[in-house]
Amino acid sequence: EVQLVESGGGLVQPGGSLRLSCAASGFIFDEYAVGWFRQAPGKEREGLLCSSDRWTTEYISKSAQGRFTISRDNAKNTVYLQMNSLKPEDTAVYYCAADRRSCRVYYNGTHSYAKITDFNSWGQGTLVTVSS
């Protein structure tokens, strides 16, 4: 059974940093793409970044560029999301998701996005609150 468990969320002040972890089990981790998404209250789930392998990062959201990075430790079956310079608008539940296929990023003419349906497995989410 594929399982993803996020951790590391919490309360952080604006301008601060946080590292989220996504621990995976039940599948051959290095054969899967892993993405980070978030969902703010009243908003749709938004794709942030995706990692097809330990060397490749696909940036999905402009809001993640320059502030967020994704890394993976295949030996530990864990993917990390390092978030720096956090803003109140980063407050959301953060999810990791995995799929056997490589990361796919789409573009609709105005912005890039990821499809939730492209990922078969999801974690339960971890809440990040950015507030003073």
Side-chain angles (χ1 to χ4, degrees), residues 22-109:
C22 171
S25 61
F27 61 99
I28 302 174
F29 185 68
D30 57 0
E31 293 182 356
Y32 278 65
V34 180
W36 282 99
F37 291 73
R38 70 182 179 187
Q39 189 164 16
K43 294 190 176 181
E44 293 185 353
R45 196 166 296 188
E46 171 193 23
L48 297 172
L49 311 93
C50 187
S51 166
S52 293
D53 53 55
R54 61 184 298 183
W55 301 278
T56 306
T57 296
E58 299 277 358
Y59 282 94
I60 303 168
S61 170
K62 275 190 177 180
S63 62
Q65 291 182 5
R67 298 190 301 130
F68 295 179
T69 56
I70 189 172
S71 61
R72 60 194 294 162
D73 185 336
N74 287 346
K76 295 183 178 179
N77 283 7
T78 301
V79 172
Y80 304 97
L81 178 65
Q82 177 68 43
M83 303 186 294
N84 300 324
S85 303
L86 284 163
K87 307 172 184 178
E89 52 263 42
D90 293 318
T91 295
V93 177
Y94 284 72
Y95 299 89
C96 64
D99 194 82
R100 185 130 188 190
R101 297 163 290 186
S102 297
C103 297
R104 279 156 292 168
V105 182
Y106 303 89
Y107 185 69
N108 66 2

